Amino acid sequence: MKIGMLGLGTVGGGVAKILESPSGRTPLLFKVELVQVGVRDLTKPRHNSLPPQKLTTHLEKIVTDAEIDIVVEVMGGLEPARTLILKAIENGKHVVTANKSLIAAYGSEIFASAKDKGVCIAFEAAVGGGIPIIQCLKQSLGANKIKQITGIVNGTTNYILSQMAQKGVSFDDALQDAMQKGYAEANPTADVDGIDATEKLAILALVGFGIKVDCQKIFKTGIRSISQRDIAYAKAMNYTIKLLANARLNEDDSLQLNVQPHFVENSHPLAAINDVFNAIFLEGDPVGQLMLYGQGAGEGATASAVVSDILNIVSSSASWQNIHVKSSKLASASQEMESNFYLRVVTEKIATAAGAIAWSLGDFNVPPMSVQQQITKEGVLEIAIITESVFRSTLDNAIGSIRGLPYVKEVANVLPILEAQ
Ligand code: NAP
Ligand code: HSE
C-alpha cells in the first residue's frame, strides 16, 4: 500500500517517524510505504529522515496520483482539506484524517462520497488523541446500547486547568506551554472556547449513538471564565474543575449534549485525569460503566491513532462509509440539564448577605447544600455555594433574582457538578 500524506507538522511528523521505522512494530507496517508528503513550505527544517524528494507543495498531485492507495490528511482546517479529500475519494483512494473540524462539519458529505466510490474513510485520531475510542465504539462495544458518554476530550484545556490547579501557573502561561508542546490547534481559541471539544462530541454522538448533530446546536462554554478563585473553592470543597463533553440519552431517546467546565467530585475517576491526558467515561447496556484513558494530543499519541487507521485499512477492516445514521431529537442542552451546581457570588461586605442569598435560592426551590464565604483581599465578600440538584432553568431564575439584590456585585461563575456514582 502506498501512502500520500497531506501535512508534515506535529501529527504528520509523528506519522512519518512511525512509517519510516517499522522495525519492532506490527509486521503489517512493512506492507506500507510513505511515498509523497505535501507541505506548504519546502524550506522549513523538519525533524525526520524523509528524503527531501518525497516532499512537494503540489497537494493536488498527491490526491490524483494513480500510484497512491491511501491519502492521510493531517494538514487541518476546512479548506483546502475538504476539496482534497473529496478529490482523493473521487480518485478511488482510501482516506485517513485527524481533522475533527472537517468530520464534524462535512462528515456526511465525505462518508456519502466514500460509499459511492467503495473506499474507506477513517478518523480515529479525530477524538481522544491516542485513545482508540472510535474503534472501540465501532467494534469492541458494538453490541451495546450506549447510554452516556462523558469525556475530557481536549488535551490543551485539561493541561491548562491542571497547571493552574497544581502549580498556580497563569492561564496565559499554561496556554503558551500547551502551544509550544504541539497540543493546541493552529488557532488555540478552538481549544479554550470549547469548540474543539464540541466537534469531538459531535463525532462521538455520530459514532456512539448514530446521531448526526450540528455543532452549532450543542451548548458550549469554554474555560476562560475559570479563575484561581474558582479553583481554590473547588479544592476546599473536594472537587476538581474539568472541561467535560457530555452526551446522555434521555428516557425518551432524545440526546442531551453539552460542553462545559464542571466541578467534578474528587472521588470520580475523571477528577484524576491531568495534564494533556484525556479520558472517556462510558455507560453501555449491557457492558455497564467503563473508562478509556490516554494522551489526548501531541505528536506520538496522535500519530499512533493515525497509523492504526492505516493498518485497519491495510487489513481491510470495516470502514465508516457504511455508518447508519438515525434521526433523533436533541434535548435542549443546558436548559434541561438537571444537576447540582456551584455558584460564586461577589457581594458588598454585609454580614447577612450569605444568609439572604441562601434564602433567595430557597424561594426558587434551589436548596443550598453547602455555603462558604470569605472576604477577599480586594475587600469584597465572596460566597461559594453548592446547590441541591435542580434544573438549569430553575437555577437561572434564582440567579436573576440574586443579581437584583442591591449589595450583589456579580454572580462570577456557575458550574454544574459531576458527582461520583
Ligand atoms: P500543524 O503542526 O500545524 O501541521 C500542519 C501541516 O500541514 C504542516 O506541515 C503544513 O505545512 C501543512 N499545511 C497546512 N496547510 C497547508 C496548505 N494549505 N498547503 C500545504 N500544506 C499545508 O498541525 P497538526 O497539529 O499536526 O494538526 C494537523 C491535524 O491534526 C489538524 O486537523 C488537527 O486538528 C489534528 N489533530 C492534531 C492533534 C495534535 O495534538 N496536534 C491531535 C489530534 C488531531 P508546513 O509544515 O510547510 O507549514
Ligand atoms: N488541540 C487538541 C487538544 C488536539 O488539545 O485536544 C487533539 O485533538
Short mmCIF file of all heavy atoms in Angstrom, two decimals, residues 6-13 37-44 46 56-57 59 73-77 79-81 84 97-102 125-129 181-186 196 199-200 296-299 302 306, ligand 1:
data_model
loop_
_atom_site.label_atom_id
_atom_site.label_comp_id
_atom_site.label_asym_id
_atom_site.label_seq_id
_atom_site.Cartn_x
_atom_site.Cartn_y
_atom_site.Cartn_z
N LEU A 6 -0.90 14.50 3.40
CA LEU A 6 -1.07 15.95 3.27
C LEU A 6 -0.76 16.57 4.62
O LEU A 6 -1.56 16.47 5.55
CB LEU A 6 -2.51 16.29 2.85
CG LEU A 6 -3.08 15.48 1.69
CD1 LEU A 6 -4.55 15.84 1.46
CD2 LEU A 6 -2.27 15.74 0.41
N GLY A 7 0.42 17.18 4.77
CA GLY A 7 0.80 17.79 6.05
C GLY A 7 1.94 17.04 6.70
O GLY A 7 1.98 15.81 6.70
N LEU A 8 2.89 17.81 7.24
CA LEU A 8 4.04 17.22 7.94
C LEU A 8 4.38 18.09 9.15
O LEU A 8 5.50 18.49 9.39
CB LEU A 8 5.23 17.13 6.97
CG LEU A 8 6.45 16.34 7.43
CD1 LEU A 8 6.13 14.87 7.68
CD2 LEU A 8 7.58 16.43 6.41
N GLY A 9 3.32 18.42 9.91
CA GLY A 9 3.51 19.21 11.13
C GLY A 9 3.64 18.29 12.33
O GLY A 9 4.29 17.24 12.25
N THR A 10 2.98 18.65 13.44
CA THR A 10 3.08 17.83 14.66
C THR A 10 2.65 16.40 14.38
O THR A 10 3.39 15.44 14.64
CB THR A 10 2.18 18.44 15.77
OG1 THR A 10 2.58 19.79 15.98
CG2 THR A 10 2.30 17.66 17.06
N VAL A 11 1.44 16.23 13.83
CA VAL A 11 0.90 14.88 13.64
C VAL A 11 1.60 14.18 12.46
O VAL A 11 2.05 13.03 12.59
CB VAL A 11 -0.63 14.93 13.41
CG1 VAL A 11 -1.18 13.52 13.26
CG2 VAL A 11 -1.32 15.66 14.57
N GLY A 12 1.69 14.89 11.33
CA GLY A 12 2.32 14.28 10.15
C GLY A 12 3.76 13.86 10.45
O GLY A 12 4.20 12.79 10.01
N GLY A 13 4.47 14.69 11.20
CA GLY A 13 5.86 14.35 11.57
C GLY A 13 5.90 13.04 12.34
O GLY A 13 6.76 12.18 12.12
N VAL A 37 4.72 13.48 0.45
CA VAL A 37 4.17 14.28 1.54
C VAL A 37 3.99 15.72 1.07
O VAL A 37 4.95 16.34 0.58
CB VAL A 37 5.10 14.25 2.78
CG1 VAL A 37 4.49 15.06 3.92
CG2 VAL A 37 5.35 12.83 3.25
N GLY A 38 2.79 16.24 1.24
CA GLY A 38 2.51 17.61 0.83
C GLY A 38 2.68 18.58 1.97
O GLY A 38 2.18 18.34 3.08
N VAL A 39 3.40 19.67 1.72
CA VAL A 39 3.60 20.71 2.73
C VAL A 39 3.40 22.08 2.08
O VAL A 39 3.27 22.18 0.86
CB VAL A 39 5.02 20.65 3.36
CG1 VAL A 39 5.22 19.36 4.15
CG2 VAL A 39 6.10 20.79 2.29
N ARG A 40 3.41 23.11 2.94
CA ARG A 40 3.26 24.47 2.42
C ARG A 40 4.61 25.07 2.07
O ARG A 40 4.76 25.78 1.10
CB ARG A 40 2.59 25.31 3.54
CG ARG A 40 1.89 26.52 3.08
CD ARG A 40 0.97 27.08 4.16
NE ARG A 40 1.19 26.55 5.49
CZ ARG A 40 0.26 26.52 6.42
NH1 ARG A 40 -0.95 26.98 6.19
NH2 ARG A 40 0.52 26.05 7.61
N ASP A 41 5.63 24.74 2.90
CA ASP A 41 6.91 25.42 2.78
C ASP A 41 8.05 24.38 2.74
O ASP A 41 8.37 23.74 3.75
CB ASP A 41 7.05 26.33 4.02
CG ASP A 41 8.38 27.05 4.07
OD1 ASP A 41 9.18 26.88 3.13
OD2 ASP A 41 8.62 27.77 5.06
N LEU A 42 8.67 24.25 1.57
CA LEU A 42 9.72 23.23 1.39
C LEU A 42 11.01 23.56 2.12
O LEU A 42 11.85 22.69 2.36
CB LEU A 42 10.02 23.06 -0.12
CG LEU A 42 8.96 22.36 -0.96
CD1 LEU A 42 9.31 22.40 -2.43
CD2 LEU A 42 8.77 20.91 -0.50
N THR A 43 11.16 24.84 2.50
CA THR A 43 12.43 25.24 3.12
C THR A 43 12.42 25.08 4.66
O THR A 43 13.44 25.25 5.31
CB THR A 43 12.73 26.73 2.81
OG1 THR A 43 11.70 27.52 3.39
CG2 THR A 43 12.81 26.98 1.31
N LYS A 44 11.27 24.75 5.21
CA LYS A 44 11.16 24.62 6.67
C LYS A 44 12.02 23.46 7.17
O LYS A 44 11.99 22.37 6.57
CB LYS A 44 9.70 24.32 6.98
CG LYS A 44 9.16 24.83 8.26
CD LYS A 44 7.65 24.56 8.24
CE LYS A 44 6.96 25.15 9.40
NZ LYS A 44 5.51 24.93 9.32
N ARG A 46 12.83 20.16 9.07
CA ARG A 46 11.97 19.04 9.50
C ARG A 46 12.79 18.07 10.34
O ARG A 46 13.94 17.80 10.01
CB ARG A 46 11.40 18.28 8.29
CG ARG A 46 10.86 19.14 7.17
CD ARG A 46 9.40 19.41 7.31
NE ARG A 46 8.96 20.44 6.37
CZ ARG A 46 7.78 21.03 6.43
NH1 ARG A 46 6.92 20.70 7.37
NH2 ARG A 46 7.44 21.97 5.58
N THR A 56 6.52 17.74 -1.39
CA THR A 56 6.03 18.55 -2.51
C THR A 56 5.05 19.60 -1.99
O THR A 56 4.46 19.42 -0.92
CB THR A 56 5.31 17.66 -3.57
OG1 THR A 56 4.78 18.52 -4.57
CG2 THR A 56 4.16 16.86 -2.98
N THR A 57 4.90 20.65 -2.75
CA THR A 57 3.86 21.64 -2.41
C THR A 57 2.63 21.44 -3.30
O THR A 57 1.66 22.18 -3.18
CB THR A 57 4.40 23.09 -2.58
OG1 THR A 57 4.98 23.19 -3.87
CG2 THR A 57 5.41 23.44 -1.52
N LEU A 59 -0.20 19.55 -3.60
CA LEU A 59 -1.03 18.58 -2.87
C LEU A 59 -2.03 17.88 -3.79
O LEU A 59 -2.39 16.73 -3.58
CB LEU A 59 -1.73 19.27 -1.69
CG LEU A 59 -0.86 19.38 -0.43
CD1 LEU A 59 0.33 20.28 -0.63
CD2 LEU A 59 -1.67 19.80 0.76
N GLU A 73 -4.72 12.73 5.60
CA GLU A 73 -4.86 14.19 5.69
C GLU A 73 -4.57 14.64 7.12
O GLU A 73 -5.34 14.36 8.04
CB GLU A 73 -6.26 14.62 5.26
CG GLU A 73 -6.46 16.13 5.21
CD GLU A 73 -6.85 16.73 6.56
OE1 GLU A 73 -7.86 16.28 7.15
OE2 GLU A 73 -6.16 17.66 7.02
N VAL A 74 -3.43 15.31 7.31
CA VAL A 74 -3.07 15.84 8.63
C VAL A 74 -2.60 17.29 8.46
O VAL A 74 -1.62 17.72 9.07
CB VAL A 74 -1.99 14.96 9.33
CG1 VAL A 74 -2.61 13.71 9.92
CG2 VAL A 74 -0.85 14.60 8.40
N MET A 75 -3.31 18.01 7.61
CA MET A 75 -2.96 19.43 7.40
C MET A 75 -3.87 20.34 8.24
O MET A 75 -3.49 21.43 8.62
CB MET A 75 -3.03 19.80 5.92
CG MET A 75 -4.39 19.59 5.29
SD MET A 75 -4.34 19.71 3.47
CE MET A 75 -3.98 21.43 3.26
N GLY A 76 -5.09 19.87 8.52
CA GLY A 76 -6.02 20.65 9.34
C GLY A 76 -6.80 21.68 8.54
O GLY A 76 -6.54 21.91 7.35
N GLY A 77 -7.79 22.30 9.19
CA GLY A 77 -8.60 23.33 8.56
C GLY A 77 -9.66 22.73 7.65
O GLY A 77 -9.64 21.53 7.34
N GLU A 79 -10.76 24.10 4.43
CA GLU A 79 -10.30 24.14 3.04
C GLU A 79 -8.82 24.52 3.02
O GLU A 79 -8.39 25.32 3.85
CB GLU A 79 -11.10 25.17 2.23
CG GLU A 79 -12.52 24.74 1.89
CD GLU A 79 -12.60 23.54 0.92
OE1 GLU A 79 -11.55 23.08 0.42
OE2 GLU A 79 -13.71 23.05 0.71
N PRO A 80 -8.04 23.94 2.15
CA PRO A 80 -8.41 23.03 1.05
C PRO A 80 -8.57 21.56 1.44
O PRO A 80 -8.73 20.71 0.56
CB PRO A 80 -7.25 23.19 0.07
CG PRO A 80 -6.06 23.49 0.94
CD PRO A 80 -6.58 24.26 2.12
N ALA A 81 -8.57 21.25 2.77
CA ALA A 81 -8.60 19.83 3.17
C ALA A 81 -9.83 19.12 2.61
O ALA A 81 -9.74 18.00 2.09
CB ALA A 81 -8.56 19.73 4.70
N LEU A 84 -9.55 18.49 -1.17
CA LEU A 84 -8.52 17.50 -1.47
C LEU A 84 -8.99 16.09 -1.10
O LEU A 84 -8.76 15.13 -1.85
CB LEU A 84 -7.22 17.84 -0.72
CG LEU A 84 -6.47 19.07 -1.26
CD1 LEU A 84 -5.41 19.54 -0.27
CD2 LEU A 84 -5.82 18.75 -2.62
N THR A 97 -7.98 10.61 8.23
CA THR A 97 -7.84 12.02 8.63
C THR A 97 -7.87 12.16 10.14
O THR A 97 -8.52 11.37 10.84
CB THR A 97 -8.94 12.90 7.98
OG1 THR A 97 -8.79 14.24 8.45
CG2 THR A 97 -10.34 12.43 8.32
N ALA A 98 -7.15 13.19 10.63
CA ALA A 98 -7.17 13.52 12.07
C ALA A 98 -8.00 14.77 12.30
O ALA A 98 -8.02 15.32 13.39
CB ALA A 98 -5.73 13.77 12.53
N ASN A 99 -8.71 15.19 11.24
CA ASN A 99 -9.31 16.53 11.21
C ASN A 99 -10.74 16.52 11.75
O ASN A 99 -11.70 16.31 11.01
CB ASN A 99 -9.26 17.00 9.75
CG ASN A 99 -9.53 18.46 9.60
OD1 ASN A 99 -10.24 19.05 10.39
ND2 ASN A 99 -8.97 19.04 8.54
N LYS A 100 -10.87 16.78 13.06
CA LYS A 100 -12.23 16.71 13.65
C LYS A 100 -13.14 17.80 13.15
O LYS A 100 -14.35 17.60 13.01
CB LYS A 100 -12.18 16.72 15.18
CG LYS A 100 -11.40 17.85 15.80
CD LYS A 100 -10.05 17.37 16.21
CE LYS A 100 -9.08 18.48 16.42
NZ LYS A 100 -7.98 18.12 17.28
N SER A 101 -12.56 19.00 12.88
CA SER A 101 -13.41 20.10 12.39
C SER A 101 -14.07 19.67 11.09
O SER A 101 -15.26 19.91 10.86
CB SER A 101 -12.58 21.35 12.11
OG SER A 101 -11.86 21.70 13.24
N LEU A 102 -13.29 19.03 10.23
CA LEU A 102 -13.79 18.62 8.92
C LEU A 102 -14.84 17.52 9.04
O LEU A 102 -15.89 17.58 8.40
CB LEU A 102 -12.60 18.13 8.07
CG LEU A 102 -12.89 17.89 6.62
CD1 LEU A 102 -13.15 19.21 5.91
CD2 LEU A 102 -11.73 17.18 5.96
N ALA A 125 -7.93 9.44 14.96
CA ALA A 125 -7.18 10.50 15.65
C ALA A 125 -8.02 11.75 15.90
O ALA A 125 -7.58 12.66 16.59
CB ALA A 125 -5.94 10.87 14.83
N ALA A 126 -9.23 11.77 15.35
CA ALA A 126 -10.04 12.99 15.50
C ALA A 126 -10.55 13.18 16.92
O ALA A 126 -10.88 14.30 17.33
CB ALA A 126 -11.21 12.96 14.51
N VAL A 127 -10.64 12.10 17.69
CA VAL A 127 -11.14 12.21 19.07
C VAL A 127 -10.21 11.46 20.02
O VAL A 127 -9.88 10.29 19.78
CB VAL A 127 -12.56 11.60 19.21
CG1 VAL A 127 -13.10 11.82 20.63
CG2 VAL A 127 -13.52 12.18 18.19
N GLY A 128 -9.81 12.13 21.08
CA GLY A 128 -9.10 11.44 22.16
C GLY A 128 -7.63 11.12 21.88
O GLY A 128 -7.04 10.32 22.60
N GLY A 129 -7.02 11.76 20.86
CA GLY A 129 -5.59 11.54 20.60
C GLY A 129 -5.28 10.06 20.45
O GLY A 129 -5.81 9.37 19.58
N LYS A 181 4.16 22.77 23.11
CA LYS A 181 4.27 21.31 23.12
C LYS A 181 3.51 20.66 21.96
O LYS A 181 3.49 19.44 21.84
CB LYS A 181 3.74 20.77 24.45
CG LYS A 181 4.64 21.06 25.64
CD LYS A 181 4.10 20.40 26.90
CE LYS A 181 5.18 20.14 27.94
NZ LYS A 181 5.56 21.31 28.71
N GLY A 182 2.84 21.47 21.13
CA GLY A 182 2.14 20.92 19.95
C GLY A 182 0.76 20.38 20.28
O GLY A 182 0.17 19.65 19.48
N TYR A 183 0.19 20.73 21.46
CA TYR A 183 -1.13 20.20 21.83
C TYR A 183 -2.26 21.02 21.22
O TYR A 183 -3.31 20.50 20.90
CB TYR A 183 -1.34 20.23 23.35
CG TYR A 183 -0.32 19.49 24.17
CD1 TYR A 183 -0.08 19.84 25.51
CD2 TYR A 183 0.39 18.41 23.64
CE1 TYR A 183 0.84 19.17 26.28
CE2 TYR A 183 1.33 17.74 24.41
CZ TYR A 183 1.54 18.12 25.74
OH TYR A 183 2.45 17.45 26.50
N ALA A 184 -2.02 22.34 21.10
CA ALA A 184 -3.12 23.24 20.75
C ALA A 184 -3.39 23.24 19.25
O ALA A 184 -2.55 22.84 18.44
CB ALA A 184 -2.78 24.66 21.21
N GLU A 185 -4.60 23.67 18.89
CA GLU A 185 -4.94 23.83 17.47
C GLU A 185 -4.19 25.04 16.91
O GLU A 185 -3.69 25.89 17.67
CB GLU A 185 -6.46 24.08 17.34
CG GLU A 185 -7.30 22.89 17.74
CD GLU A 185 -6.94 21.63 16.96
OE1 GLU A 185 -6.99 21.65 15.72
OE2 GLU A 185 -6.59 20.62 17.58
N ALA A 186 -4.18 25.15 15.57
CA ALA A 186 -3.49 26.27 14.92
C ALA A 186 -4.02 27.59 15.51
O ALA A 186 -3.24 28.51 15.78
CB ALA A 186 -3.73 26.21 13.43
N ASP A 196 -13.28 22.84 19.91
CA ASP A 196 -12.66 21.54 19.59
C ASP A 196 -13.40 20.41 20.32
O ASP A 196 -13.72 19.38 19.71
CB ASP A 196 -11.18 21.59 20.01
CG ASP A 196 -10.46 20.27 19.83
OD1 ASP A 196 -10.06 19.97 18.70
OD2 ASP A 196 -10.30 19.53 20.83
N GLU A 199 -16.71 19.74 18.63
CA GLU A 199 -16.59 18.96 17.39
C GLU A 199 -16.36 17.48 17.72
O GLU A 199 -16.94 16.58 17.08
CB GLU A 199 -15.42 19.49 16.55
CG GLU A 199 -15.70 20.87 15.99
CD GLU A 199 -14.47 21.59 15.42
OE1 GLU A 199 -13.32 21.14 15.65
OE2 GLU A 199 -14.66 22.62 14.77
N LYS A 200 -15.55 17.23 18.74
CA LYS A 200 -15.30 15.83 19.12
C LYS A 200 -16.58 15.20 19.67
O LYS A 200 -16.86 14.03 19.42
CB LYS A 200 -14.17 15.77 20.15
CG LYS A 200 -12.82 16.11 19.52
CD LYS A 200 -11.76 16.34 20.58
CE LYS A 200 -10.39 16.55 19.95
NZ LYS A 200 -9.40 17.08 20.90
N GLY A 296 -4.20 12.77 25.06
CA GLY A 296 -5.23 13.28 24.17
C GLY A 296 -4.71 14.15 23.04
O GLY A 296 -5.48 14.54 22.16
N ALA A 297 -3.44 14.49 23.04
CA ALA A 297 -2.90 15.35 21.98
C ALA A 297 -1.40 15.16 21.96
O ALA A 297 -0.82 14.53 22.84
CB ALA A 297 -3.25 16.81 22.25
N GLY A 298 -0.78 15.73 20.91
CA GLY A 298 0.68 15.64 20.80
C GLY A 298 1.08 14.65 19.71
O GLY A 298 0.29 13.82 19.27
N GLU A 299 2.33 14.78 19.31
CA GLU A 299 2.84 14.05 18.15
C GLU A 299 2.65 12.53 18.23
O GLU A 299 2.01 11.92 17.38
CB GLU A 299 4.34 14.38 17.98
CG GLU A 299 4.98 13.65 16.84
CD GLU A 299 6.49 13.89 16.77
OE1 GLU A 299 6.91 15.06 16.77
OE2 GLU A 299 7.25 12.90 16.72
N THR A 302 -1.09 11.00 18.80
CA THR A 302 -1.98 11.20 17.65
C THR A 302 -1.51 10.39 16.46
O THR A 302 -2.32 9.79 15.73
CB THR A 302 -2.06 12.70 17.30
OG1 THR A 302 -2.23 13.43 18.51
CG2 THR A 302 -3.22 12.99 16.39
N VAL A 306 -3.45 7.66 13.98
CA VAL A 306 -3.48 7.76 12.51
C VAL A 306 -2.97 6.46 11.89
O VAL A 306 -3.58 5.89 10.97
CB VAL A 306 -2.63 8.97 12.02
CG1 VAL A 306 -2.47 8.94 10.51
CG2 VAL A 306 -3.25 10.28 12.47
P1 NAP B 1 0.42 21.54 12.19
O1 NAP B 1 1.52 21.19 13.12
O2 NAP B 1 0.04 22.97 12.04
O3 NAP B 1 0.78 20.94 10.75
C1 NAP B 1 0.03 21.21 9.61
C2 NAP B 1 0.81 20.69 8.39
O4 NAP B 1 0.00 20.85 7.24
C3 NAP B 1 2.12 21.43 8.13
O5 NAP B 1 3.09 20.52 7.70
C4 NAP B 1 1.76 22.41 6.99
O6 NAP B 1 2.85 22.63 6.11
C5 NAP B 1 0.70 21.63 6.26
N1 NAP B 1 -0.29 22.50 5.63
C6 NAP B 1 -1.28 23.18 6.25
N2 NAP B 1 -2.00 23.88 5.34
C7 NAP B 1 -1.44 23.61 4.14
C8 NAP B 1 -1.72 24.03 2.81
N3 NAP B 1 -2.73 24.86 2.54
N4 NAP B 1 -0.94 23.54 1.81
C9 NAP B 1 0.08 22.72 2.07
N5 NAP B 1 0.39 22.27 3.31
C10 NAP B 1 -0.36 22.72 4.33
O7 NAP B 1 -0.93 20.77 12.60
P2 NAP B 1 -1.07 19.45 13.49
O8 NAP B 1 -1.03 19.84 14.93
O9 NAP B 1 -0.15 18.41 13.00
O10 NAP B 1 -2.60 19.08 13.21
C11 NAP B 1 -2.97 18.53 11.96
C12 NAP B 1 -4.41 18.00 12.09
O11 NAP B 1 -4.48 17.01 13.10
C13 NAP B 1 -5.46 19.06 12.45
O12 NAP B 1 -6.67 18.73 11.82
C14 NAP B 1 -5.61 18.86 13.96
O13 NAP B 1 -6.87 19.25 14.46
C15 NAP B 1 -5.47 17.35 14.06
N6 NAP B 1 -5.02 16.86 15.35
C16 NAP B 1 -3.94 17.42 15.94
C17 NAP B 1 -3.53 16.91 17.16
C18 NAP B 1 -2.34 17.46 17.88
O14 NAP B 1 -2.09 17.06 19.01
N7 NAP B 1 -1.59 18.39 17.29
C19 NAP B 1 -4.21 15.84 17.75
C20 NAP B 1 -5.32 15.30 17.09
C21 NAP B 1 -5.71 15.81 15.89
P3 NAP B 1 4.21 23.35 6.60
O15 NAP B 1 4.86 22.38 7.53
O16 NAP B 1 5.00 23.56 5.35
O17 NAP B 1 3.76 24.62 7.29
#
